[in-house]
């Protein structure tokens, strides 16, 4: 199917993108033919967003090229990508809240009369014509304000925006995550019409059901490369799941089970605004992996445990003591630490030194009266910088000048210095190179040996499998299953992480592994 | 894998930071920003000194020092607020209100200077704390909250004083000591500035309180997740500003001899913010120090006095100060090297 390369539509050739030392995309050759819906699937971090961002001109590829109608195009800016006819409907629509739907749709290109006066009559005519043409005149009142729109209507505004001017390629990034079933049907109707009108549609989603309903072809990305392209009519769910997983990084993991019987963290029926009825335990020396797709509520659970998001109901016990406080300070004093997902935004003080960043949560141990004992502080920071092998000229180096891996080590150093009983690590290896990853896995293993109870949130399945003694899987704010190290496989975790969306439910996992055995 | 890990640079332990000796080490510890400030100050002193022989006389230097005391006190606490990620443009009005209160309390208690001062400082605590409460619990942007305060506190001062200067305090030995007294050859007011600046410097630099203040301004989310009680700190910092603004108001009363609702305190917000920005405070918080602010205060004072000595229209001083504030912030933004897209933070 990739033989007819010069057809209408878009395509990428040997496309690659590096962020510093991290390769997000490499050697991807793929076509998005006009008049077809090409679904794009893959785990978190497989490279879907990077590919989309290159197509929309947000990122520049470090290698390879983008084709449009058979000819190479240079997409040096989002405006350029738009001008040549490539549009994306973002997952979170960007709506200007206090202006009408009509002005939202044509923002930046409003019709005007002489003297730059807004031509309201023309605006009205255009929006009505467009709504009519796309069959949305009943669902969207052009006079509504942006802030009054439902999620589906917001999505429609983005779609209308994308369709102004001549659109050749339209990418939908998880468009249905906030839509009701009827709205999804309406959206699919529109997508089919676009397809029939000769637009090349790219559809990114985790939802198998939708993809089988809608797509003509399914492309699967894995670790930034193309794992395969399937004809949707012939593909099976099991086949797709197997294409999405299947890496072997086991050599990087040096783990033995050192879990004790002593439960340190005990969460019972915890509910917050984002998660519902969460019950889980972590024992001293145990590493529990928390798996799930993006948006499953894992980070929100971590923040709630750390005291930063309010708890609606349920209990948390730490070492037998009930944790009531909604203040991170009290939670830290009780012995729980969180290395959050976004280390730059949520954990680090980029303008400050390694020493400063390390000592922040142990200042109360380092101070005499209220004066920080500088020598003790330096020794402590140096000790943990050495232990975690932070690579920098000295501990007086500003953290913003470090690489991602070393920044993460500084975050870990902070918590190691605090010596917590429970440590929650949210995506501890995101965006860092392979060497530093292995070192962080070693640190985690060492911590477990010292008896720390560890809860590791990760979207990388091989990492979860390699690290965890036990895997808890979440979807839509709920726990959908728990797997022991012995029974956990990538297929099973993924099946649980998508449990609500899979037609066949968790049985798929068995089916997938059966097929794997026969193949 | 092992090759990639060593390639970057050496682990922190293996290369102890070399001690740079003598002048180079001293210059490095002062920092580039402060060096250019000191350079600017020397330039102004030489320029005005060569234009007018009296400019560099010990008497005139003392005049400059006294003139900058009040704005210097406010600049010092403004620095703390800005490092914490906030801003207070009601400092001048706070000082004005404190000035009126100190004089009126002094008069109504039968010329008890200490009670007058205590009343002023009490008002400072309340107003500063109120600013903090409005910002933290009302979730009002600091600029807006204190802009409201700028108008409201000035109004209160005018209301209780009927818009005119209140009382006469220079018949009291304590107020006379504050306004004209000298210790070891330096005016008492200058000593006050030195003591406050030193205390704040020690707090910022050597205590965990200071570390937490820098942390809050540098990254409030990270500070919160590190267990710092941000609300408490913000309210305390605005409260501290209120106290020091009250001290400035008392000095204002002592200098002019009576409680001044507006004159003498108007424009102090601009001066204090300009000094902090020139002194290297990042207006988004997390960066800055007392040393730089004091240098900037000295520079602004030298400039103002020089222009006056040269007989240049004093309206130009406003122009110069506004221009300096913008230039200082533009330089900061250039240095921070962020992408120049979207609205400035």
């Amino acid at each position: 199917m990739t033989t007819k390369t010069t057809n209408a539509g878009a395509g990428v050739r040997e496309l690659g993108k590096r962020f510093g030392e991290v390769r997000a995309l490499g050697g991807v050759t793929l076509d998005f033919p006009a008049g077809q819906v090409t679904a794009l699937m893959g785990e978190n971090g497989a490279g879907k967003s990077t590919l989309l961002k290159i197509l929309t001109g947000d990122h520049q590829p470090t290698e390879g090229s983008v084709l449009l109608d058979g000819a190479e195009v240079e997409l040096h800016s989002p405006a350029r990508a738009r001008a040549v006819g490539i549009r994306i409907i973002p997952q979170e629509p960007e709506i200007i809240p206090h202006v009408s739907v009509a002005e939202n749709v044509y923002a930046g290109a409003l019709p005007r009369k002489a003297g730059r006066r807004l031509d309201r009559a023309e605006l009205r005519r255009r929006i009505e014509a467009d709504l009519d043409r796309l069959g949305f005149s009943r669902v969207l009142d052009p006079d509504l304000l942006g802030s009054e729109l439902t999620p589906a209507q917001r999505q429609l505004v983005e779609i209308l925006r994308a369709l102004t001017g001549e659109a050749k390629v339209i990418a939908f990034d998880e468009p249905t995550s906030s839509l009701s079933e009827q709205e999804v049907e309406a959206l699919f109707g529109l997508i089919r019409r676009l397809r029939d009108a000769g637009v090349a549609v790219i559809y990114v989603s985790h939802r198998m059901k939708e993809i089988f309903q809608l797509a003509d072809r399914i492309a699967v990305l894995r670790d930034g490369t193309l794992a395969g392209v399937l004809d949707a009519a012939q593909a099976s769910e099991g086949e797709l799941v197997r294409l999405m997983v299947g890496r072997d990084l086991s050599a990087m993991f040096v783990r033995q089970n050192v879990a004790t019987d002593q439960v340190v963290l005990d969460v019972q029926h915890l509910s917050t605004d984002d998660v519902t009825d969460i019950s889980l335990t972590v024992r001293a020396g145990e590493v529990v992996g928390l798996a799930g797709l993006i948006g499953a509520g894992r980070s929100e659970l971590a923040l709630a445990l750390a005291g930063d998001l309010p708890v609606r109901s349920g209990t948390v016990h730490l070492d037998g003591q009930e944790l009531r406080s909604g203040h991170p300070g009290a939670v830290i004093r009780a012995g729980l630490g969180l290395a959050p997902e976004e280390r730059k935004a949520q954990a680090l003080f980029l303008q400050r030194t390694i020493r400063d960043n390390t000592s922040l949560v142990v200042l109360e141990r380092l101070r005499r009266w209220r004066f920080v004992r500088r020598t003790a502080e330096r020794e402590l920071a140096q000790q943990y910088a050495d232990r975690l092998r932070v690579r920098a000229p000295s501990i007086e180096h500003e953290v913003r000048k470090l690489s991602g891996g070393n920044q993460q080590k500084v975050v870990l150093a902070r918590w190691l210095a605090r010596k917590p009983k429970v440590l929650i690590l949210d995506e501890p290896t995101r965006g860092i190179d392979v060497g530093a990853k292995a070192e962080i896995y070693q640190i985690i293993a060492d911590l477990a040996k010292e008896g720390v109870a560890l809860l590791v949130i990760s979207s990388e399945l091989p990492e979860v499998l390699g690290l965890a003694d036990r895997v808890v899987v979440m979807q839509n704010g709920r726990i959908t299953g728990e797997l022991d190290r012995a029974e956990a496989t990538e297929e099973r975790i993924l099946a649980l992480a998508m449990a609500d969306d899979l037609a066949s439910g968790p049985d798929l996992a068995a089916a997938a592994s059966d097929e794997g055995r026969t193949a | 894998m092992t090759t990639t890990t060593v390639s970057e640079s050496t682990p922190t332990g293996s290369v102890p930071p070399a001690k740079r000796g003598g002048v180079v080490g001293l210059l490095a510890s002062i920092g580039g920003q402060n060096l250019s400030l000191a350079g600017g100050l020397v330039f102004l002193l030489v320029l005005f000194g060569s234009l007018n022989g009296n400019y560099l006389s010990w008497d005139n230097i003392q005049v400059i020092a006294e003139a900058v005391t009040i704005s210097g006190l406010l600049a010092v606490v403004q620095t703390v607020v800005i490092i914490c990620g906030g801003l207070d443009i009601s400092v001048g009005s706070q000082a004005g209100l404190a000035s009126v209160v100190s004089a009126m309390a002094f008069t109504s208690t039968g010329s008890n200077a200490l009670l007058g001062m205590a009343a002023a400082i009490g008002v400072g605590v309340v107003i500063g704390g109120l600013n903090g409460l409005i910002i933290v619990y009302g979730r009002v942007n600091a600029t807006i909250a204190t802009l409201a305060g700028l108008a409201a506190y000035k109004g209160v001062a005018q209301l209780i004083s009927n818009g005119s200067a209140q009382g006469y305090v220079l018949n009291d030995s304590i107020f006379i000591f504050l306004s004209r007294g000298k210790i070891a050859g330096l005016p008492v007011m200058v000593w006050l500035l030195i003591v406050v600046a030193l205390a704040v410097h020690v707090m910022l630099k050597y205590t965990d309180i200071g570390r937490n203040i820098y942390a809050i301004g540098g990254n409030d989310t990270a500070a919160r997740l590190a267990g710092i009680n941000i609300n408490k700190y913000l309210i305390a910092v605005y409260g501290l500003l209120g106290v020091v603004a009250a001290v400035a108001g008392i000095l204002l009363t002592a200098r002019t001899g009576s409680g001044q609702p507006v004159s003498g305190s108007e424009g102090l917000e601009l001066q204090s913010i300009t000094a902090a920005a020139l002194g290297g405070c990042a207006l988004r918080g997390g960066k800055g120090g007392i040393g730089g602010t004091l240098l900037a205060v000295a520079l602004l004072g030298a400039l103002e006095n020089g222009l006056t000595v040269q007989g240049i229209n004093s309206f130009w001083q406003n122009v110069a100060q506004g221009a300096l504030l913008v230039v200082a912030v533009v330089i900061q933004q250039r240095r921070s090297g962020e992408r120049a897209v979207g609205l400035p933070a």
Side-chain angles (χ1 to χ4, degrees):
Chain A
M1 99 190 44
T2 46
T3 46
K4 305 176 287 176
T5 50
T6 52
N7 270 356
V12 294
R13 294 287 171 272
E14 293 297 326
L15 196 68
K17 174 72 183 172
R18 283 178 169 280
F19 295 101
E21 296 166 28
V22 181
R23 194 190 69 162
L25 208 61
V28 173
T29 295
L30 180 60
D31 284 308
F32 303 105
Q36 286 194 30
V37 176
T38 307
L40 204 52
M41 292 194 81
E43 283 174 34
N44 303 333
K48 295 170 304 206
S49 326
T50 310
L51 179 55
L52 286 188
K53 282 191 169 149
I54 290 173
L55 286 176
T56 55
D58 281 321
H59 285 339
Q60 300 308 310
T62 35
E63 58 198 67
S65 57
V66 178
L67 306 181
L68 192 67
D69 293 341
E72 203 169 302
V73 282
E74 201 72 48
L75 303 172
H76 46 73
S77 72
R80 170 78 184 149
R82 203 182 153 78
V84 299
I86 300 176
R87 306 290 152 79
I88 181 168
I89 318 291
Q91 202 170 353
E92 299 290 337
E94 300 286 345
I95 301 291
I96 312 165
H98 302 300
V99 308
S100 72
V101 163
E103 283 175 64
N104 255 301
V105 169
Y106 303 108
L110 292 169
R112 59 194 193 208
K113 298 187 278 194
R116 302 213 60 155
R117 283 172 304 148
L118 176 65
D119 188 343
R120 288 188 186 282
E122 170 65 14
L123 182 67
R124 181 101 213 155
R125 202 192 56 67
R126 263 197 222 174
I127 187 80
E128 278 175 358
D130 275 346
L131 284 173
D132 235 26
R133 180 164 62 93
L134 298 165
F136 287 131
S137 39
R138 279 156 181 266
V139 271
L140 198 58
D141 175 356
D143 291 325
L144 281 178
L145 293 184
S147 55
E148 299 168 336
L149 301 177
T150 64
Q153 288 172 324
R154 294 161 73 90
Q155 200 102 45
L156 282 182
V157 169
E158 276 287 1
I159 293 170
L160 284 167
R161 261 186 208 157
L163 294 177
T164 56
E166 193 199 357
K168 290 178 179 161
V169 182
I170 300 184
F172 292 85
D173 189 2
E174 302 235 27
T176 57
S177 50
S178 56
L179 301 189
S180 72
E181 214 151 305
Q182 290 91 332
E183 290 165 341
V184 169
E185 272 314 308
L187 177 69
F188 285 4
L190 172 71
I191 292 178
R192 292 199 183 95
R193 249 178 299 145
L194 288 173
R195 177 192 64 192
D196 297 340
V199 173
V201 178
I202 305 173
Y203 190 85
V204 178
S205 179
H206 285 303
R207 303 192 174 180
M208 296 262 184
K209 249 188 288 180
E210 291 176 1
I211 283 178
F212 281 108
Q213 271 179 36
L214 196 62
D216 301 300
R217 308 157 68 239
I218 305 171
V220 180
L221 289 178
R222 187 174 68 210
D223 289 340
T225 59
L226 190 65
V229 182
L230 301 176
D231 192 336
Q234 286 149 26
S236 74
E237 289 185 353
E239 212 175 344
L240 276 179
V241 170
R242 246 179 302 112
L243 272 179
M244 285 164 70
V245 299
R247 268 165 298 168
D248 191 22
L249 294 179
S250 51
M252 289 174 65
F253 300 99
V254 273
R255 281 279 292 126
Q256 60 216 43
N257 193 331
V258 291
T260 62
D261 290 335
Q262 181 204 356
V263 172
V264 181
L265 179 70
D266 184 8
V267 182
Q268 292 300 329
H269 308 293
L270 186 83
S271 293
T272 71
D273 287 346
D274 306 288
V275 300
T276 315
D277 196 24
I278 300 292
S279 297
L280 61 86
T281 58
V282 188
R283 292 171 291 162
E286 189 183 30
V287 181
V288 173
L290 194 53
L293 299 171
I294 287 168
R298 296 169 299 162
S299 300
E300 289 79 3
L301 173 63
L303 286 171
L305 291 175
D308 200 47
L309 286 176
V311 169
R312 297 272 167 254
S313 62
T315 59
V316 180
H317 283 86
L318 212 157
D319 233 4
Q321 296 281 314
E322 179 161 6
L323 207 58
R324 297 169 181 282
S325 163
H327 296 292
V331 174
I332 291 169
R333 276 191 292 281
L336 186 146
L338 165 67
E341 184 179 12
E342 305 278 344
R343 55 180 169 265
K344 282 189 191 171
Q346 298 178 308
L348 289 170
F349 304 92
L350 294 171
Q351 312 269 1
R352 313 288 294 170
T353 61
I354 295 173
R355 170 179 54 76
D356 250 344
N357 272 281
T358 307
S359 63
L360 194 73
V361 293
V362 285
L363 285 178
E364 58 188 58
R365 291 183 198 157
L366 288 172
R367 72 191 183 196
R368 186 182 295 137
W369 296 94
R370 305 234 37 153
F371 290 86
V372 178
R373 287 178 290 138
R374 313 265 274 180
T375 320
E377 184 194 17
R378 260 197 302 278
E379 280 168 5
L380 179 107
Q382 188 69 58
Q383 177 195 336
Y384 284 98
D386 289 347
R387 177 170 162 197
L388 300 186
R389 317 207 319 137
V390 177
R391 279 170 195 84
S394 86
I395 54 169
E396 300 299 327
H397 206 62
E398 276 181 34
V399 164
R400 70 187 162 99
K401 295 178 185 159
L402 302 179
S403 70
N406 283 309
Q407 288 182 341
Q408 185 67 39
K409 287 185 195 170
V410 173
V411 176
L412 291 177
R414 176 188 297 169
W415 290 111
L416 262 55
R418 178 78 208 189
K419 298 193 196 317
K421 294 173 193 153
V422 180
L423 186 55
I424 303 176
L425 304 172
D426 194 351
E427 303 286 359
T429 65
R430 173 173 294 172
I432 68 182
D433 66 276
V434 177
K437 267 187 189 180
E439 287 182 286
I440 285 175
Y441 296 150
Q442 184 63 52
I443 294 164
I444 293 173
D446 290 347
L447 282 171
K449 241 180 255 171
E450 289 168 22
V452 177
L454 288 142
L455 185 63
V456 180
I457 299 174
S458 173
S459 294
E460 291 194 36
L461 291 179
E463 183 171 300
V464 173
L465 289 172
L467 282 173
D469 301 316
R470 201 149 49 84
V471 182
V472 174
V473 189
M474 285 180 70
Q475 187 188 19
N476 295 334
R478 292 169 181 280
I479 290 180
T480 50
E482 197 179 306
L483 301 165
D484 262 341
R485 187 182 180 83
E487 55 185 8
T489 62
E490 294 195 24
E491 285 84 355
R492 282 188 167 167
I493 295 175
L494 208 55
L496 286 170
M498 303 196 293
D500 295 355
D501 299 318
L502 286 176
S504 44
D507 300 341
L508 172 74
S513 48
D514 282 347
E515 279 179 53
R517 220 168 288 137
T518 51
Chain B
M1 189 159 67
T2 43
T3 49
T4 60
T5 53
V6 239
S7 60
E8 210 171 309
S9 72
T10 49
T12 48
S14 55
V15 182
K19 286 249 187 271
R20 278 169 298 189
V23 186
V24 182
L26 184 70
L27 292 182
S29 71
I30 294 173
Q33 174 107 16
N34 289 353
L35 272 184
S36 34
L37 276 176
L41 181 59
V42 169
F43 170 78
L44 282 180
L45 292 179
V46 170
L47 175 73
F48 288 120
S50 64
L51 289 172
N52 188 317
N54 285 331
Y55 181 76
L56 286 177
S57 68
W58 178 237
D59 280 345
N60 195 48
I61 299 276
Q62 284 196 43
V63 168
I64 295 178
E66 265 188 61
V68 300
T69 315
I70 291 175
S71 65
L73 279 172
L74 296 178
V76 165
V77 271
Q78 189 76 258
T79 300
V80 181
V81 171
I82 290 177
I83 289 173
C84 212
L87 191 71
D88 193 330
I89 49 184
S90 69
V91 278
S93 298
Q94 291 185 46
L97 179 53
S99 169
V100 170
V101 167
S102 67
M104 290 179 76
F106 170 77
T107 313
S108 64
T109 54
S111 298
N112 189 329
L114 292 179
L115 275 182
M117 292 176 191
I121 287 179
V123 166
V125 172
V126 170
I127 290 182
L130 180 66
N131 277 341
L133 288 171
I134 291 172
I135 290 164
V136 167
Y137 292 108
R139 318 265 337 132
V140 184
N141 170 297
T143 310
I144 299 299
T146 56
L147 178 63
L150 171 76
Y153 305 142
K154 191 195 288 180
V156 173
Q158 286 166 326
L159 271 177
I160 61 173
S161 67
N162 237 334
S164 56
Q166 289 293 310
Y168 182 72
V169 298
L170 289 184
N171 49 15
D172 180 273
S173 59
I174 298 179
F175 275 111
I176 291 173
F177 177 66
L178 272 185
S179 70
R180 301 191 199 132
K182 289 197 176 184
I183 299 173
L186 271 181
V188 173
M189 297 178 72
V190 176
W191 277 113
L192 250 170
L193 173 61
I194 291 172
V195 168
V196 170
L198 205 64
V200 171
H201 176 73
V202 167
M203 177 189 79
L204 284 179
K205 202 89 199 249
Y206 299 102
T207 68
D208 65 321
I209 301 170
R211 298 298 184 78
N212 290 345
I213 287 174
Y214 278 104
I216 290 168
N219 185 341
D220 62 321
T221 308
R224 212 176 60 226
L225 286 174
I228 299 169
N229 188 337
I230 294 187
N231 293 354
K232 194 175 85 181
Y233 268 89
L234 280 176
I235 293 168
V237 161
Y238 280 98
L240 171 72
L241 185 139
V243 170
V244 175
V247 172
I250 293 167
L251 291 186
L252 195 63
T253 305
R255 266 191 92 181
T256 58
S258 52
Q260 302 288 346
V262 176
S263 115
S265 58
E266 234 172 10
L268 286 176
E269 60 285 334
L270 175 64
Q271 284 178 26
S272 64
I273 294 169
T274 305
L278 263 183
C281 284
L283 286 183
R284 68 189 52 182
K287 196 167 160 260
I290 296 302
T293 299
L294 283 186
L295 268 174
V297 165
L299 186 118
L300 290 172
L303 178 67
E304 185 173 341
N305 182 273
L307 291 175
T308 312
V309 168
Q310 284 305 305
I312 293 167
N313 187 334
S314 68
F315 298 148
W316 279 110
Q317 288 171 15
N318 282 335
V319 178
Q321 226 166 61
L324 274 176
L325 175 57
V326 168
V327 168
V329 176
V330 169
I331 290 172
Q332 257 178 36
Q333 295 283 31
R334 294 276 149 177
R335 278 199 186 162
S336 75
E338 66 175 300
R339 283 180 71 200
V341 291
L343 293 175

